[in-house]
Amino acid sequence: MLKQLMIIFSVITFLGVISFAQEKPETEKKEKKECSDKSSCCSGMKESSSKINMDENSETAAIQIWNKVCPVEGSTVKSDSPSFEYNGNLIGFCCEDCTAKFKRNPETYLKNLNEDGSKFIKS
């Protein structure tokens, strides 16, 4: 009887471990948020996460942040900093406040960066 209970317990434990190991982490479960209010969207602009799906059969690939300094403040941009996609480039910021400022007038703030986004030139 004890042998049968041990076998049943082992099978249940094994199945539990397998099902837990196959579960996706919480970050992969979240679906891409779509714009629900099309009138508030700006052409050429959309918020972006740090990963995109290149095609249905490929793995997700990290997008490179285009600039090295914040176009609003001039502070260094880190890989985990807030970002915003504008005209095909992923623009990184030092904080969320800078992201909000940039969204209001992106062209003005982009003039603060040199051509490759590596230096703050404050025009």
Side-chain angles (χ1 to χ4, degrees), residues 61-80:
I63 297 177
Q64 286 287 45
I65 293 178
W66 172 75
N67 56 316
K68 294 187 180 4
V69 294
C70 177
V72 180
E73 297 287 330
S75 303
T76 304
V77 174
K78 297 178 183 151
S79 60
D80 61 345

Side-chain angles (χ1 to χ4, degrees), residues 24-42:
K24 291 184 178 181
E26 204 52 43
T27 56
E28 290 180 13
K29 286 183 180 180
K30 294 180 182 178
E31 293 180 10
K32 187 176 179 181
K33 189 176 179 181
E34 295 293 325
C35 183
S36 59
D37 183 14
K38 298 291 182 192
S39 64
S40 68
C41 292
C42 300

